[in-house]
Amino acid sequence: MRREWLLVLVALGLAAVAAGIVYLSRPNTLTVAVGPQDGPEAALIEAYANALDRAREDVRLKVVRYGDVRDSAMALQRNKADLAVVRPDVFLPENGLTLAILHDEALVIAAPEAADIDDVPALARKRLGIVVRHSADLSFLTNLLSFYDLVPDTPSADAAEDGQGASEPEAAAGHVVVVPLKVGEVTAALTDKRVDAVAVIASPASKAAAAMVRAVELGAPDRKIGFVSIPDGDAILQRFPELQAVTIPAGTFGGRPKRPDEEVKTVGASYRLMARGTVSRVAVASATQHLFEWRSRLASAAPVAKLMKAPDFDTTVAATSARLPNHPGAVDYFEREQQTFLDRYEDYIYLFAFFGGTIGSGFAWLGQRLARKRRERVDFVLDRLLDIMREVRAATSSAELDTIAVETDGLVADVVCYARERSIDARTVSALILAVDGVHAAIADARRQMSEAEPRAAGRNRTARLLALDLPAAE
């Protein structure tokens, strides 16, 4: 391998390391599905995404709006989004785990005190108006009534067209007539006796719930109203685990007079920010942390942020095995156990440290083997030069010396080419120089000895010829 190629490989390695650092340090962008697109939840998530961008945090949000909360939950289940706003009673994704409860919505049922409706069973044979804010509100109410073995009915077409519920006969035993209303129709419906009580599914602190309670109060003959309590929340949640137990504190709807005069237990639905279980717990922990830490900052753009809360759990096991399980990354934040770099990679670091010595020894052995392979060519030249020195001493003619000199020149040229491609240590270079000099000196000595021996050999030959002819030596 030429030195230039080695430099190229080193440069490529450094580029790969730099690319890896850039990749690991870039922000983790999560796609969040939001529905409905004009709801308060969408405003909250949009404000949160903008805040993350401005702060250049390690996690960012890409907001994708959907027309309905069912569609956003479906996007999460189909892996089209990493996070989603979900209302579990509408549709609960199989792969969804909770990060935060954005806000609770409670079933608030109010009625004039004269109606004498204190609990849900008392609604039998009554007419219940409901302010529909979401398409799932009617199914929510139907499930609740079924728990008490009540069957919801709808008003007849004629009565609905006339707007005169008073002409309707009383509902059958075990039945409740459910009348969809708008907030502006509540007072008139109570005054005209078209409904006996009114319900709404909304956050107790929201304007929608306050408007409904105010409308019921205006429709009551003596401006006195009562609230229907649902104390069987735990039993209801056993049958419908996607619902939520909610307590409405006393005085939520006003303090003069106090409405309600004592806390009211009821059930409701929750809007949750959920994530796929496969999303990195580090990214989820970071997203959850900023969401709660920036609550006051987000409330200026989305007041619903004030209602945001963490899911209730006692232990980490309870958090991940609840009716609606929580994401481990969110639990890490709630339990103040967010993973550091060492926490995330400590197993790999331990394994690397454990096997590092063995791996290092293996690389050292491999390096020695490669170095030995690289030296084999030089060793061959050195061995051949030593053999040539012995052959020079045994040479008997100039032709043999010429052949040996040509071979020596070839070996020297081969070593020079090898040295241009690879580095050779100083000791090896010194040995090569000594060997080459020794060969050249031996060749020179052999040539000198051959040149001196030729006159003596010629004289001996002439004397031998004269003796053969029996002539005087002087001749």
Side-chain angles (χ1 to χ4, degrees):
M1 184 183 298
R2 291 183 178 273
R3 187 174 300 174
E4 292 80 1
W5 283 108
L6 181 61
L7 293 175
V8 170
L9 289 178
V10 171
L12 290 176
L14 292 176
V17 171
I21 293 174
V22 171
Y23 178 80
L24 293 176
S25 61
R26 65 178 184 148
N28 194 345
T29 301
L30 304 177
T31 301
V32 53
V34 179
Q37 57 184 353
D38 57 348
E41 302 82 14
L44 172 60
I45 299 301
E46 191 71 42
Y48 182 40
N50 293 335
L52 289 173
D53 289 338
R54 288 192 300 270
R56 300 183 180 276
E57 292 294 340
D58 58 342
V59 63
R60 309 287 176 84
L61 297 183
K62 177 184 177 183
V63 180
V64 180
R65 294 175 179 262
Y66 289 86
D68 188 79
V69 71
R70 178 183 294 274
D71 298 331
S72 61
M74 287 294 296
L76 185 67
Q77 175 153 312
R78 294 171 180 171
N79 296 324
K80 293 182 179 180
D82 302 306
L83 310 176
V85 174
V86 176
R87 179 172 159 176
D89 67 304
V90 175
F91 181 78
L92 180 62
E94 297 175 355
N95 58 346
L97 300 176
T98 301
L99 274 69
I101 298 176
L102 301 181
H103 64 93
D104 286 327
E105 290 198 341
L107 175 62
V108 182
I109 304 177
E113 283 189 354
D116 195 23
I117 301 175
D118 298 326
D119 52 20
V120 175
L123 291 172
R125 307 173 71 99
K126 302 288 185 178
R127 299 181 182 88
L128 176 64
I130 179 170
V131 178
V132 180
R133 303 176 61 247
H134 191 278
S135 58
D137 290 351
L138 291 175
S139 61
F140 178 101
L141 183 61
T142 299
N143 291 333
L144 177 66
L145 293 176
S146 67
F147 178 81
Y148 293 98
D149 296 328
L150 296 176
V151 179
D153 292 336
T154 56
S156 65
D158 293 339
E161 291 178 0
D162 295 340
Q164 298 295 327
S167 61
E168 278 283 306
E170 189 179 58
H175 287 241
V176 179
V177 177
V178 177
V179 183
L181 297 172
K182 297 180 180 179
V183 175
E185 301 172 342
V186 171
T187 301
L190 287 169
T191 303
D192 298 339
K193 306 297 184 181
R194 286 188 285 126
V195 296
D196 301 297
V198 181
V200 67
I201 301 174
S203 173
S206 66
K207 294 180 179 179
M212 187 277 290
V213 170
R214 180 60 178 168
V216 172
E217 189 176 38
L218 292 176
D222 52 1
R223 299 293 189 269
K224 293 182 179 181
I225 62 174
F227 293 88
V228 176
S229 178
I230 305 176
D232 306 313
D234 292 339
I236 293 174
L237 296 185
Q238 291 294 325
R239 184 181 298 185
F240 306 108
E242 65 276 5
L243 300 183
Q244 192 85 357
V246 182
T247 298
I248 303 175
T252 298
F253 303 108
R256 187 181 178 188
K258 198 172 185 178
R259 302 185 299 271
D261 54 0
E262 59 183 16
E263 68 176 26
V264 177
K265 294 186 177 297
T266 182
V267 294
S270 60
Y271 282 82
R272 295 171 176 247
L273 182 61
M274 301 187 102
R276 289 185 291 110
T278 55
V279 178
S280 165
R281 63 191 296 171
V282 176
V284 170
S286 180
T288 307
Q289 174 184 352
H290 298 313
L291 181 63
F292 281 96
E293 289 181 351
W294 296 350
R295 184 203 305 262
S296 58
R297 185 189 311 180
L298 300 175
S300 59
V304 72
K306 299 176 181 178
L307 304 177
M308 190 168 52
K309 66 178 183 179
D312 295 330
F313 61 88
D314 297 326
T315 63
T316 302
V317 174
T320 54
S321 60
R323 293 181 297 106
L324 301 176
N326 304 293
H327 197 285
V331 177
D332 288 342
Y333 166 68
F334 296 137
E335 295 290 322
R336 297 298 187 267
E337 295 179 354
Q338 288 174 265
Q339 295 181 326
T340 63
F341 178 85
L342 291 177
D343 293 332
R344 295 197 299 270
Y345 300 108
E346 63 178 349
D347 292 340
Y348 299 101
I349 294 173
Y350 172 78
L351 291 175
F352 180 79
F354 183 78
F355 293 107
T358 304
I359 295 173
S361 299
F363 278 115
W365 175 83
L366 181 61
Q368 291 177 356
R369 292 288 298 176
L370 294 176
R372 185 179 301 174
K373 285 288 185 182
R374 290 195 298 269
R375 289 196 305 268
E376 284 181 357
R377 190 171 179 181
V378 179
D379 292 340
F380 169 78
V381 172
L382 284 171
D383 293 339
R384 181 57 187 150
L385 289 173
L386 296 177
D387 292 338
I388 287 174
M389 292 177 66
R390 289 189 289 269
E391 292 175 5
V392 169
R393 302 301 180 189
T396 58
S397 65
S398 296
E400 292 182 17
L401 293 177
D402 292 339
T403 302
I404 291 173
V406 171
E407 183 182 358
T408 302
D409 292 340
L411 293 174
V412 171
D414 191 34
V415 170
V416 170
C417 293
Y418 180 84
R420 292 181 62 185
E421 296 176 359
R422 296 175 176 85
S423 60
I424 304 177
D425 60 274
R427 296 177 61 184
T428 303
V429 171
S430 299
L432 284 170
I433 293 173
L434 289 174
V436 172
D437 290 344
V439 170
H440 286 164
I443 293 174
D445 290 343
R447 290 187 187 278
R448 185 172 59 254
Q449 292 174 3
M450 287 182 182
S451 62
E452 293 176 352
E454 287 178 356
R456 292 195 297 269
R460 287 194 297 270
N461 291 339
R462 182 171 177 272
T463 301
R465 286 196 299 270
L466 292 174
L467 291 173
L469 295 174
D470 196 16
L471 294 176
E475 292 180 3

